[in-house]
Amino acid sequence: FYRTQAVFFCIKPPSHPFHQMREKIAIFFKKGYSISWVLLLAFLIRLLLPLLSFILTKELAIFYGGDTASYLKPATELVASGRFTSEGFPEIFRAPGYSLMLVPGILLNQIEWVTVALQIALSCWTVYLVFKIALLVFEENNKIAVTCAFLYAIEPLSIIYPGKLLTETAFTSLLFGFVYCFLKYLNHQAFIWLLVSSILLSVSTYIR
């Protein structure tokens, strides 16, 4: 009887599923793997929204916004004539940056899908930049950084705009790149980071 009782007390009772889950989450954050899952979530959401919208509507017009034509026309004429014009006149209202981004899609005759794919990649890169910026701001606190990236990954506007032929996604990506590089410069006082941040900010002015 006593031997049986001793064996009984030596056996570790199974832990509650909630405690097991909490331990796994803690290990997940500690090892730093969670940013990969946040990036995967951001990618899937940004991919599925335009894809399902097209399947349901069968209309490429869902990728267009009010300003799309004003960027698309100069890009089309740039490919056709090598000049940044609109209706034959020099385009001085729109900056050329986003129109240049539309050129690969025009050359491949898949303007909507190529541009949306590029913008999905840029948007996911922005999610990662949010993570890196948060690491700098919150002194390498991985849990806070991942939380910041997750919140941006599910932010509605950052999900919608990659599926639109508009400047918001590209501009935001460049702006966050500038913020990250400038913070790196402030932390390390390395001239290269100041140079890169200046270039990114300058390029962003050519987007919008």
Side-chain angles (χ1 to χ4, degrees):
F1 171 76
Y2 291 109
R3 181 179 298 176
T4 305
Q5 190 176 35
V7 171
F8 175 78
F9 282 111
C10 289
I11 297 175
K12 184 179 180 180
S15 59
H16 193 276
F18 175 76
H19 296 297
Q20 292 179 345
M21 183 183 300
R22 188 172 62 180
E23 290 174 1
K24 289 180 180 180
I25 291 174
I27 295 173
F28 191 67
F29 279 111
K30 186 176 180 180
K31 290 185 176 181
Y33 295 152
S34 48
I35 185 58
S36 301
W37 292 102
V38 171
L39 290 172
L40 178 61
L41 173 67
F43 172 74
L44 290 176
I45 294 175
R46 285 154 178 76
L47 175 65
L48 290 175
L49 180 62
L51 189 60
L52 292 176
S53 298
F54 177 74
I55 291 174
L56 292 174
T57 63
K58 298 291 191 292
E59 291 286 343
L60 289 173
I62 61 171
F63 300 121
Y64 290 75
D67 294 334
T68 300
S70 63
Y71 292 103
L72 186 56
K73 185 64 176 176
T76 304
E77 294 195 14
L78 181 63
V79 172
S81 65
R83 295 179 298 175
F84 191 68
T85 58
S86 183
E87 302 293 344
F89 295 97
E91 177 57 61
I92 60 174
F93 180 68
R94 291 298 184 191
Y98 190 69
S99 294
L100 288 173
M101 186 174 165
L102 297 176
V103 168
I106 295 173
L107 293 175
L108 295 173
N109 200 31
Q110 293 289 340
I111 178 65
E112 296 85 7
W113 293 113
V114 171
T115 306
V116 167
L118 288 173
Q119 292 183 164
I120 289 173
L122 285 175
S123 186
C124 291
W125 174 246
T126 305
V127 173
Y128 184 69
L129 285 174
V130 170
F131 169 73
K132 297 294 286 185
I133 290 170
L135 285 178
L136 292 174
V137 173
F138 296 103
E139 300 177 351
E140 300 297 322
N141 189 315
N142 186 75
K143 187 173 183 179
I144 294 178
V146 170
T147 302
C148 292
F150 173 75
L151 291 175
Y152 185 78
I154 61 172
E155 196 276 321
L157 292 179
S158 72
I159 295 172
I160 294 172
Y161 276 114
K164 295 286 187 180
L165 272 61
L166 296 169
T167 61
E168 277 75 7
T169 300
F171 178 78
T172 303
S173 180
L174 288 168
L175 187 62
F176 275 68
F178 156 73
V179 172
Y180 172 70
C181 292
F182 190 68
L183 287 175
K184 290 285 285 185
Y185 166 71
L186 293 178
N187 286 352
H188 301 288
Q189 295 296 309
F191 177 75
I192 185 64
W193 289 112
L194 180 62
L195 178 62
V196 174
S197 67
S198 301
I199 292 172
L200 290 174
L201 186 61
S202 300
V203 172
S204 71
T205 63
Y206 285 90
I207 297 294
R208 56 176 306 170

